[in-house]
């Protein structure tokens, strides 16, 4: 399931001036609102992915790799396309203190990006992590 931040938060009705993705300013009110929205989003589903593009059409190789891993594991997850919203794209990096996208959250906790997900997958840890966050069914 992919949710547009514009639809979810109504940010399209707010005036946010930007010069570029790297050099924009956001009022403290909007910043608090987006940080609260991100916190709610990360807890809205057992597994949440912030990515470039959508699961059906990833727009970066790292996002595609994360989606491929989750799909291979049969995981259910919610994805947010950061390319739809520059404020979200920059704010998620601040929220997690992680400089890159994609970002994966399980049970509201930041797990990591593509490299960390690949590591969990290769080490056989991801199956239990996905079961623990109820993104996949337990196979006992």
């Amino acid at each position: 399931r992919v949710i547009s931040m514009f639809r979810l938060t109504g940010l399209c009705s707010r005036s946010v001036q930007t010069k570029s993705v790297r050099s924009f300013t956001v009022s403290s009110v909007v910043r608090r609102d987006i940080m609260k929205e991100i916190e709610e989003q990360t807890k809205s589903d057992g597994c949440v992915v912030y990515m470039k593009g959508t699961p059906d059409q990833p727009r970066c190789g790292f996002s595609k790799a994360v989606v491929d891993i989750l799909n291979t594991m049969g995981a259910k997850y919610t994805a947010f396309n950061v390319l739809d919203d520059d404020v979200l794209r920059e704010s998620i990096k601040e929220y997690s203190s992680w400089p890159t996208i994609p970002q994966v959250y399980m049970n509201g906790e930041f797990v990591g990006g593509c490299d960390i997900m690949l590591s969990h997958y290769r080490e056989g840890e991801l199956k239990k992590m996905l079961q623990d966050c109820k993104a996949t069914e337990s196979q006992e």
Side-chain angles (χ1 to χ4, degrees), residues 5-6 9-18 24-39 41 85-92 94-95:
M5 276 298 298
F6 288 112
T9 65
L11 282 177
C12 57
S13 64
R14 294 192 180 118
S15 176
V16 178
Q17 293 185 352
T18 64
F24 67 88
T25 59
V26 179
S27 75
S28 61
V29 172
V30 172
R31 183 171 302 281
R32 282 193 303 272
D33 286 350
I34 190 68
M35 291 302 175
K36 183 177 180 190
E37 290 291 334
I38 290 171
E39 182 177 1
Q41 290 168 357
D85 185 342
D86 288 341
V87 174
L88 174 62
R89 184 177 182 173
E90 293 305 313
S91 298
I92 192 64
E94 182 180 332
Y95 180 81

Side-chain angles (χ1 to χ4, degrees), residues 21-134:
V21 172
R22 295 187 189 278
S23 62
F24 67 88
T25 59
V26 179
S27 75
S28 61
V29 172
V30 172
R31 183 171 302 281
R32 282 193 303 272
D33 286 350
I34 190 68
M35 291 302 175
K36 183 177 180 190
E37 290 291 334
I38 290 171
E39 182 177 1
E40 290 171 2
Q41 290 168 357
T42 62
K43 295 176 180 176
S44 68
D45 201 352
C47 184
V48 175
V49 180
Y50 292 87
M51 63 181 289
K52 293 178 181 175
T54 65
D56 292 334
Q57 291 187 314
R59 303 260 321 266
C60 117
F62 299 112
S63 292
K64 182 179 182 336
V66 167
V67 166
D68 286 349
I69 291 168
L70 292 172
N71 290 343
T72 296
M73 301 296 294
K76 294 177 278 180
Y77 57 92
T78 298
F80 293 93
N81 180 0
V82 300
L83 298 178
D84 283 346
D85 185 342
D86 288 341
V87 174
L88 174 62
R89 184 177 182 173
E90 293 305 313
S91 298
I92 192 64
K93 296 174 189 178
E94 182 180 332
Y95 180 81
S96 63
S97 299
W98 190 260
T100 60
I101 295 167
Q103 294 186 13
V104 178
Y105 292 77
M106 292 184 190
N107 287 332
E109 298 293 322
F110 178 62
V111 174
C114 180
D115 54 342
I116 293 171
M117 290 295 289
L118 279 169
S119 176
H120 286 308
Y121 178 73
R122 288 179 181 144
E123 298 296 320
E125 302 162 348
L126 189 57
K127 181 179 180 179
K128 181 170 180 356
M129 293 170 67
L130 290 169
Q131 289 171 346
D132 289 348
C133 73
K134 308 222 181 324

